[in-house]
């Protein structure tokens, strides 16, 4: 990926962090987006730079269209192109439907789904001009199977699947591929609040018998961003130790 530019949203922690570090190791210059955790974002930047790579920090709320527009301008102003967009930023506001506040529904849809729209719309404009590009969206196994307590999150993640397939069709004639990854249970801050019992019960449902690591997801992102994946578009790839089969 030498000479390519990647923008990874939500790259200060968890899956996004692993993706940013991996794409940089493959030779890409990586723009590290984050919401507010500057210290963690700087850590990712210094790991990449310490390995001889190039990285820049671009703080912005992906749910804010104008802020995303400014972020894309900053990346392009510095590096002239965006070749790979990884829409990874995401939040949870879990609760049973009867207890779920409308603002918690909105917050999850705004960040997890509208954020994907904002970044894809603005980055694809550039990719269309370049007549090439890779867009990789982070969905979830809960989009495929549902999950009690996560109606807002599952709706957003299922929305990403429809969005991915539609945009893949629109952008295919322009040489741009659009795919989604549906991670299962991955060890990050997002899943750390689980009790030990709940965690053990989940592991028992995973055929491969372990939780996934952020690197398990980064491996697939690196592949989808590579030349080797040039004939793959509109696909949803579950990386979940067999959980969703
Ligand atoms: P995480 O550890 O909680 O990290 C979330 C990242 O998203 C952070 O970098 C955070 O930035 C950023 N972020 C949150 N809201 C944002 C916003 N409005 N604008 C920009 N950045 C924002 O989460 P994760 O577990 O790595 O999850 C990454 C993605 O994978 C999410 O889309 C998640 O839904 C999906 N996923 C995760 C799992 C899992 O088991 N972990 C399973 C399926 C899907 P700050 O550090 O600045 O807050």
């Amino acid at each position: 990926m030498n000479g390519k530019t990647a923008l990874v949203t939500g790259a200060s922690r968890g899956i996004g962090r692993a993706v940013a570090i991996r794409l940089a190791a493959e030779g890409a210059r990586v723009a590290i987006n984050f919401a507010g955790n500057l210290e963690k974002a700087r850590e990712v930047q210094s790991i990449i730079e310490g390995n001889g790579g190039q990285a820049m920090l671009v703080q912005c709320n992906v749910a804010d269209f104008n802020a995303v527009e400014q972020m894309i301008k900053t990346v392009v102003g510095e590096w002239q192109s965006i070749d790979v967009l990884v829409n990874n930023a995401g939040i949870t506001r879990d609760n049973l439907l009867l207890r779920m506040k409308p603002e918690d529904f909105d917050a999850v849809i705004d960040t997890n789904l509208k954020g994907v729209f904002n970044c894809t719309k603005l980055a694809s404009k550039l990719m269309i001009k370049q007549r090439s590009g890779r867009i990789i969206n982070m969905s979830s196994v809960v989009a495929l199977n549902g999950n009690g307590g996560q109606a807002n999150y599952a709706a957003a993640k299922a929305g990403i699947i429809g969005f991915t397939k539609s945009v893949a069709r629109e952008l295919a004639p322009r040489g741009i591929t659009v795919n989604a990854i549906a991670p299962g249970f991955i060890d990050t801050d997002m899943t750390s609040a689980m009790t030990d019992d709940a965690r053990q019960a989940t592991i028992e449902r995973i055929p491969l018998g372990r939780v996934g690591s952020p690197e398990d997801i980064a491996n697939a992102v690196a592949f989808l961003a590579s030349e080797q994946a040039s004939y793959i578009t509109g696909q949803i790839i579950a990386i979940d130790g067999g959980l969703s089969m």
Side-chain angles (χ1 to χ4, degrees):
M1 294 187 68
N2 286 332
K4 303 263 188 204
T5 296
L7 168 60
V8 184
T9 70
S12 47
R13 291 182 285 125
I15 293 171
R17 169 192 159 105
V19 167
I21 292 169
R22 176 62 190 272
L23 293 180
E26 300 287 337
R29 292 177 293 210
V30 180
I32 299 163
N33 162 262
F34 62 105
N37 209 327
L38 180 61
E39 199 182 316
K40 288 282 173 192
R42 278 206 181 120
E43 205 178 289
V44 180
Q45 182 181 30
S46 58
I47 290 171
I48 291 174
E49 290 176 351
N51 292 338
Q54 263 181 284
M56 75 161 94
L57 298 184
V58 277
Q59 178 174 13
C60 112
N61 174 7
V62 293
D64 178 341
F65 185 81
N66 294 331
V68 172
E69 195 165 33
Q70 204 45 56
M71 169 172 73
I72 302 267
K73 272 191 194 146
T74 304
V75 177
V76 175
E78 196 77 22
W79 290 339
Q80 287 76 50
S81 71
I82 295 178
D83 303 292
V84 178
L85 168 67
V86 184
N87 282 310
N88 166 78
I91 57 167
T92 51
R93 296 279 185 278
D94 297 352
N95 221 330
L96 295 174
L97 181 63
L98 290 183
R99 290 196 200 130
M100 188 177 285
K101 294 189 183 121
E103 49 269 37
D104 288 339
F105 188 84
D106 289 347
V108 169
I109 297 290
D110 284 352
T111 301
N112 297 13
L113 184 56
K114 181 130 181 285
V116 175
F117 164 80
N118 290 341
C119 296
T120 304
K121 180 178 164 69
L122 292 161
S124 65
K125 207 167 158 188
L126 293 166
M127 292 177 178
I128 288 169
K129 283 197 201 128
Q130 294 164 195
R131 299 199 69 80
S132 70
R134 296 293 163 86
I135 299 169
I136 298 149
N137 300 325
M138 219 46 81
S139 179
S140 167
V141 284
V142 308
L144 309 171
N145 298 338
N147 195 22
Q150 289 200 307
N152 50 0
Y153 183 80
K157 294 298 182 183
I160 288 179
I161 293 179
F163 181 85
T164 298
K165 292 185 180 183
S166 304
V167 176
R169 287 181 187 276
E170 285 185 31
L171 298 181
R174 315 297 189 117
I176 301 162
T177 68
V178 189
N179 292 290
I181 291 174
F185 189 105
I186 310 299
D187 225 346
T188 69
D189 292 346
M190 191 176 267
T191 47
S192 64
M194 233 178 185
T195 63
D196 283 350
D197 285 353
R199 191 185 166 90
Q200 200 46 45
T202 305
I203 292 171
E204 277 162 22
R205 287 170 38 227
I206 302 171
L208 284 178
R210 67 168 176 90
V211 301
S213 70
E215 289 72 24
D216 287 323
I217 306 302
N219 288 338
V221 173
F223 171 66
L224 287 172
S226 77
E227 254 323 290
Q228 291 161 358
S230 61
Y231 201 53
I232 302 175
T233 199
Q235 301 305 305
I236 315 304
I237 302 175
I239 302 176
D240 61 0
L243 182 64
S244 63
M245 74 176 148

